[in-house]
Amino acid sequence: MAPYIAVSALSHEGLVREHNEDSLTVGPWTLCATVTTNPQTLLFPVGPPCVVAVADGLGGHPGGEVASALVARRLAADGPGLDGEEAVREELQDCNRAVFAAAAEEPDLAAMGTTVAGLVLLPERAVVFNVGDSRVYRVTADGLRLVSVDDSPPLPPGRRTTSMVTQTLGGSLGLTFVEPHVRTAPLAAGDRYLVCSDGLTDPVPEEELAELLSRVSEDSDRSDGKAAFELWRAAIEAGGPDNITLALVRIGG
């Protein structure tokens, strides 16, 4: 069988927020500031660049859903040209400028911003990127390995999470430049990744996410839809305090 990319994804407002400010990119497909009640699974050939990304609009700022949707749609449109680290860095700088430009045109959107985290899947390699505290994990037999870099201040003793972010796309009144985290990793059949907003990782500890994935999702990409649902359910059972967006990525073939 030819190598392929399977992505099972969902986005939900959680139990506390009035609406969803997260957006999602899977290849040319976007889900912007809306809600899915079930995971959707999409398949793509390995070859052309394929972007899988989550953008989490900043809460407490106006227009978080506008900023996340703008970034998700740009990544979907520009994805076929993202052929390596330099192209991804330039794309994230362009997204940052686009968020500021959109905010400048509409006073009600002043200081809107968003995080972003994701992968560009290429033949035999994955470009991992993020700005902010949305995350990318490699799913391994030994558990979850964080491959993105949280833009968060140091945590005080005893604290596992923080809502503070030190870097976002947009998010202030004047244009600020970002330093995206971008790295390349080898990619082969059987590799699996989890891309998600902090609405999943804040309420549910990594160990619990890893245990759930190893229990549900050993078989094939056909079980990843169920695994995505169980991850969402774990966040809901932990109180669903924020929007929950996640994508499980598997390389098959």
Side-chain angles (χ1 to χ4, degrees):
M1 179 185 289
Y4 65 93
I5 301 160
V7 185
S8 296
L10 60 76
S11 187
H12 190 271
E13 77 271 29
L15 298 178
V16 175
R17 306 288 189 191
E18 290 185 5
H19 59 284
N20 191 4
E21 294 188 279
D22 288 359
S23 295
L24 175 71
T25 304
V26 182
W29 182 81
T30 58
L31 187 72
C32 296
T34 188
V35 169
T36 46
T37 53
N38 294 293
Q40 308 295 310
T41 299
L42 299 111
L43 301 179
F44 304 91
V46 172
C50 180
V51 179
V52 180
V54 168
D56 179 354
L58 295 185
H61 293 232
E65 71 281 3
V66 177
S68 71
L70 187 158
V71 169
R73 290 181 178 127
R74 284 186 72 101
L75 288 172
D78 297 341
L82 301 180
D83 56 0
E85 287 190 21
E86 190 54 38
V88 171
R89 290 181 194 279
E90 290 178 8
E91 175 71 10
L92 294 173
Q93 298 289 0
D94 288 346
C95 286
N96 184 51
R97 284 189 288 267
V99 172
F100 277 107
E105 292 175 2
E106 179 55 66
D108 290 345
L109 300 179
M112 74 172 179
T114 184
T115 71
V116 68
L119 301 159
V120 181
L121 300 161
L122 301 161
E124 300 183 350
R125 60 198 173 108
V127 180
V128 180
F129 62 88
N130 78 285
V131 176
D133 60 356
S134 291
R135 289 182 171 179
V136 182
Y137 289 96
R138 174 90 184 270
V139 184
T140 72
D142 299 325
L144 291 178
R145 184 164 64 87
L146 184 64
V147 290
S148 56
V149 179
D150 283 352
D151 284 313
S152 300
L155 290 172
R159 283 285 298 278
R160 188 178 66 81
T161 65
T162 176
S163 60
M164 298 285 291
V165 285
T166 55
Q167 182 174 234
T168 59
L169 302 178
S172 60
L173 290 175
L175 176 64
T176 358
F177 291 97
V178 292
E179 295 185 18
H181 305 282
V182 183
R183 56 171 295 216
T184 302
L187 190 68
D191 285 355
R192 298 167 65 207
Y193 284 91
L194 169 64
V195 183
C196 60
S197 63
D198 64 353
L200 176 65
T201 52
D202 278 359
V204 188
E206 284 179 16
E207 301 76 23
E208 185 178 338
L209 296 173
E211 193 275 329
L212 190 154
L213 281 169
S214 67
R215 187 174 72 242
V216 174
S217 181
E218 293 170 344
D219 313 312
S220 70
D221 52 87
R222 287 186 295 275
S223 65
D224 284 348
K226 181 179 180 186
F229 177 82
E230 294 296 337
L231 292 172
W232 167 80
R233 189 164 73 172
I236 291 295
E237 289 178 350
D242 200 354
N243 305 150
I244 306 156
T245 302
L246 64 100
L248 275 173
V249 179
R250 183 190 295 266
I251 307 303

